[in-house]
């Protein structure tokens, strides 16, 4: 087996050991087997293919989450601008638009399994109900 292939395999085994994907004694055995008893060939787990893919996926997930939040704020901003431009002074229409946005956030949170959208939608609805109760009473 060539040296590059052994290096990749040993990096993967170290990654498994670090993330407890295999018991430590199995990983130690495999490292000893592939290094042929030469412990000076210590390979770090950051060289592992799985580690590099995990970092790439995390960056993509963060970007997608940021995009979802940006879209939610854009929809809220557009609905408020629409109300300001066409329906200024009609408070019930504003409350209806805000309830619609909160329901949309709640639905997005449930469908996309995003806790922050679910919480913000529910909290928005609760605050709107409190606002309505205070203005009526």
């Amino acid at each position: 087996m060539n040296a590059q292939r052994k290096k990749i395999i040993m990096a993967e085994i170290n990654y498994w050991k670090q993330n407890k994907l295999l018991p430590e004694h199995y990983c130690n055995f495999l490292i000893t087997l592939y290094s042929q008893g030469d412990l000076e060939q210590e390979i770090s787990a950051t060289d592992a293919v799985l580690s590099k893919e995990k970092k790439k996926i995390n960056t993509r997930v963060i970007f997608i989450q940021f995009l979802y939040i940006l879209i939610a704020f854009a929809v809220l901003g557009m609905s408020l601008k629409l109300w300001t431009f066409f329906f200024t002074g009609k408070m019930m229409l504003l409350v209806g638009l805000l309830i619609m946005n909160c329901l949309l956030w709640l639905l997005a949170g449930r469908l996309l399994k995003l806790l922050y959208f679910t919480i913000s939608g529910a909290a928005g609805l609760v605050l709107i109900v409190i606002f309505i109760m205070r203005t009526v009473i």
Side-chain angles (χ1 to χ4, degrees):
M1 184 178 296
N2 65 16
Q4 180 65 24
R5 190 174 274 180
K6 281 184 183 179
K7 182 180 176 184
I8 292 172
I9 291 172
M10 289 175 60
E12 293 298 323
I13 294 169
N14 279 327
Y15 178 79
W16 298 342
K17 183 179 179 180
Q18 181 180 357
N19 293 300
K20 299 189 184 334
L21 298 174
L22 277 178
E24 188 172 347
H25 59 280
Y26 289 168
C27 293
N28 291 339
F29 171 75
L30 290 171
I31 289 171
T32 306
L33 184 68
Y34 280 102
S35 67
Q36 297 172 340
D38 187 16
L39 295 178
E40 294 176 8
Q41 286 186 336
E42 199 59 38
I43 309 289
S44 69
T46 57
D47 295 335
V49 174
L50 290 175
S51 177
K52 291 176 184 174
E53 286 180 6
K54 190 174 182 181
K55 288 177 187 175
K56 190 187 313 179
I57 290 172
N58 285 342
T59 306
R60 188 179 324 151
V61 167
I62 290 171
F63 177 72
I64 291 172
Q65 302 296 323
F66 179 73
L67 197 61
Y68 287 150
I69 293 169
L70 193 65
I71 290 170
F73 277 125
V75 169
L76 177 64
M78 286 189 317
S79 61
L80 291 176
K81 189 67 173 176
L82 179 76
W83 178 79
T84 304
F85 193 68
F86 290 112
F87 307 107
T88 304
K90 297 183 180 179
M91 191 59 73
M92 290 310 292
L93 191 59
L94 174 64
V95 170
L97 282 171
L98 291 176
I99 288 173
M100 211 167 59
N101 272 292
C102 289
L103 289 174
L104 186 65
W105 291 351
L106 201 56
L107 180 69
R110 294 307 236 164
L111 290 178
L112 299 173
K113 294 180 177 69
L114 298 172
L115 184 62
Y116 56 87
F117 269 128
T118 306
I119 290 173
S120 63
L125 288 173
V126 168
L127 289 174
I128 291 170
V129 168
I130 290 171
F131 172 75
I132 291 173
M133 300 275 287
R134 290 197 63 153
T135 56
V136 171
I137 296 176

